[in-house]
């Protein structure tokens, strides 16, 4: 019986760890402010002035595997190609907030 309960608990923990909770309002408000200061220069309204196809719209994020908080956080932190890394300019929390904002805006089609 103890083994069965332990297996159920492990399964439950594995299941809940795969779900991402929605961002809080404070995270997205902070993310919006950070985005406007650090990101909007290249990504105004979710676009991309450097590489048009690699924008922050829902379809492009999905196409390039960037449609999760983790993926966006990674690229903001470490950069990639023309995208600068922000790990030395923003805190981890600020990066999380901007990632939450980008994902939320992509879901809203940047309206």
């Amino acid at each position: 019986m103890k083994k069965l309960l332990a297996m159920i608990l492990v399964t439950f923990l594995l299941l809940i760890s795969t779900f991402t909770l929605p961002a809080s309002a404070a995270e997205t408000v902070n993310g919006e402010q950070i985005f406007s200061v650090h990101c909007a220069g290249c990504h105004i309204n979710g676009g991309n002035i450097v590489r048009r196809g690699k924008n922050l719209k829902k379809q492009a994020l999905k196409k390039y595997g960037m449609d999760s908080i983790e993926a966006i956080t990674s690229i903001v932190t470490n950069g990639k190609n023309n995208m600068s890394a922000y790990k030395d300019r923003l805190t981890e929390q600020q990066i999380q907030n901007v990632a939450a904002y980008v994902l939320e805006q992509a879901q809203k089609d940047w309206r």
Side-chain angles (χ1 to χ4, degrees), residues 31-96:
E32 180 179 15
Q33 294 168 346
I34 296 161
F35 185 89
S36 68
V37 171
H38 295 278
C39 312
C42 292
H43 294 289
I44 187 110
N45 296 322
N48 185 332
I49 65 167
V50 178
R51 296 197 58 198
R52 288 185 6 202
K54 293 210 172 180
N55 56 56
L56 304 178
K57 309 287 177 145
K58 185 177 178 180
Q59 185 176 0
L61 292 177
K62 185 172 179 136
K63 178 179 179 180
Y64 295 108
M66 292 291 145
D67 56 343
S68 70
I69 293 285
E70 297 80 14
I72 297 168
T73 298
S74 177
I75 201 164
V76 172
T77 301
N78 302 308
K80 184 175 179 182
N81 299 328
N82 294 334
M83 169 78 185
S84 298
Y86 283 83
K87 63 184 168 197
D88 295 332
R89 292 179 252 184
L90 300 174
T91 66
E92 287 182 35
Q93 185 61 56
Q94 288 173 316
I95 291 170
Q96 288 286 324

